[in-house]
Amino acid sequence: MSTTEQTAEVARRFFQAIYRFDISAAGALLDDDATWWLAGSSSLSGNYIGKRAIFEDFLPRFGPLYAPVESYFEIKNLFADGELACLEYLGGGETVDGNAYRSFYAYVVLVQNGKVTAIRGYTDLTRALAVLLPATVPVSLSL
Amino acid sequence: MNASKLSPTEQLAIDAVRAVYAGDINSLQRQTTPDATFWLTGTTPLSGMFLGRGRIIADLFPRLALVFPGGVEIDVRETFSDGREVCLELGLSARTRDGNTYRNSYCYVVGIRDGRGAFLRGYADMVRTAGCVFEVADPHALLAKECV
């Protein structure tokens, strides 16, 4: 398997695990010093440094928002070049309030030595804030 | 970003995105196929799918010119490609019609066909766009608005 093929495969498996809430599988693919950056200015956005911060600070923000049912994850496009992968997908699930949440995402994933070392995410957080976190409105819009 | 490291495909993708934000019809015609599509995530007036170069020019260009009368600066932060598609991570900045300074991070995926851009798909946090460009601070209100 070439580096490019491995990068795409690791990125795919990592996000599949995340959307299965399979922390063990996702953690096995994540480097200890990995970073996860989600673009934007809302309470969901930010830069999380290290596996511990990702699993203990970032991802727990989303888990309690979803009902304990299977989440939705559909890859729309995935390609890679060397250590970088670009993943476009439609993701979401049913919220604890019974609302369906879906949003399109683009992620850039850096994979080194078989592990995810950097994740940069881009998505419209409008629906996330309105559906997942209605209590957070108003959001910070300062630049 | 070292421009000398860019492949022709990556440069083409960058030029196509720049053509859109510059409202440059001639450049867009050079960089994209006639049936090229432009899609931007979200529910703002700049969001949605624009099918065909003609619609991009007729519908999107006037909106961009209206909200960003001084144009848009694009900082290319990262780019890579498998030869058929290009991933661009960009920083966009502009002065809005209301005098606000708009800065946002975007990811564009540009598909290449016959040496031209065939599709451009843009992802960004449109909460920032709504607040700064359209002065809508409530995501609920934004969702109630009609998409393009």
Side-chain angles (χ1 to χ4, degrees):
Chain A
M1 184 181 284
S2 69
T3 299
T4 294
E5 290 169 336
Q6 182 188 45
T7 296
E9 183 59 22
V10 169
R12 180 201 307 274
R13 285 165 45 208
F14 176 78
F15 275 90
Q16 285 173 336
I18 288 292
Y19 274 83
R20 288 196 314 268
F21 303 115
D22 187 343
I23 299 303
S24 176
L29 294 169
L30 191 65
D31 187 84
D32 288 344
D33 298 321
T35 59
W36 189 318
W37 175 75
L38 183 60
S41 52
S42 77
S43 58
L44 296 173
S45 307
N47 191 33
Y48 298 83
I49 301 171
K51 184 189 284 190
R52 180 174 236 172
I54 290 169
F55 283 124
E56 295 183 6
D57 299 335
F58 178 59
L59 292 176
R61 292 166 177 251
F62 298 92
L65 305 173
Y66 287 103
V69 297
E70 192 167 329
S71 57
Y72 187 82
F73 177 69
E74 179 187 357
I75 294 176
K76 296 292 188 182
N77 190 31
L78 171 63
F79 66 93
D81 178 31
E83 297 178 334
L84 286 169
C86 178
L87 172 65
E88 296 174 271
Y89 68 86
L90 178 62
E94 184 181 339
T95 71
V96 291
D97 299 322
N99 296 315
Y101 168 71
R102 294 278 191 281
S103 191
F104 287 99
Y105 293 80
Y107 268 99
V108 174
V109 184
L110 177 63
V111 177
Q112 296 171 309
N113 300 317
K115 299 260 190 172
V116 173
T117 57
I119 304 166
R120 297 190 291 272
Y122 302 82
T123 189
D124 177 24
L125 291 167
T126 305
R127 185 165 296 279
L129 292 172
V131 176
L132 292 178
L133 294 174
T136 65
V137 177
V139 299
S140 168
L141 292 169
S142 60
L143 291 171
Chain B
M1 183 90 231
N2 187 342
S4 64
K5 291 183 178 176
L6 295 175
S7 70
T9 302
E10 291 168 319
Q11 188 62 59
L12 187 151
I14 293 169
D15 291 344
V17 173
R18 286 193 192 280
V20 169
Y21 281 97
D24 187 334
I25 295 173
N26 290 333
S27 179
L28 190 75
Q29 288 175 333
R30 284 196 306 274
Q31 311 297 347
T32 62
T33 61
D35 61 350
T37 59
F38 178 94
W39 175 83
L40 179 61
T41 188
T43 54
T44 75
L46 302 178
S47 304
M49 177 69 87
F50 298 82
L51 290 168
R53 199 165 59 196
R55 292 265 64 87
I56 296 171
I57 294 170
D59 297 339
L60 180 60
F61 277 15
R63 298 178 196 193
L64 286 167
L66 180 66
V67 298
F68 302 127
V72 178
E73 287 191 24
I74 297 177
D75 172 39
V76 181
R77 297 170 177 167
E78 181 64 85
T79 173
F80 59 97
S81 171
D82 67 352
R84 294 172 301 173
E85 295 174 311
V86 182
C87 181
L88 303 173
E89 292 181 272
L90 309 171
L92 267 61
S93 59
R95 181 78 67 183
T96 72
R97 58 182 168 175
D98 300 308
N100 297 325
T101 299
Y102 172 67
R103 292 193 187 91
N104 207 352
S105 299
Y106 283 72
C107 180
Y108 269 95
V109 178
V110 181
I112 307 298
R113 189 179 74 232
D114 300 329
R116 291 182 179 187
F119 63 79
L120 296 82
R121 293 194 290 263
Y123 299 83
D125 177 19
M126 303 306 283
V127 173
R128 172 168 282 185
T129 312
C132 183
V133 180
F134 299 102
E135 300 193 335
V136 178
D138 181 351
H140 294 90
L142 190 63
L143 287 174
K145 283 177 172 285
E146 282 295 316
C147 190
V148 172

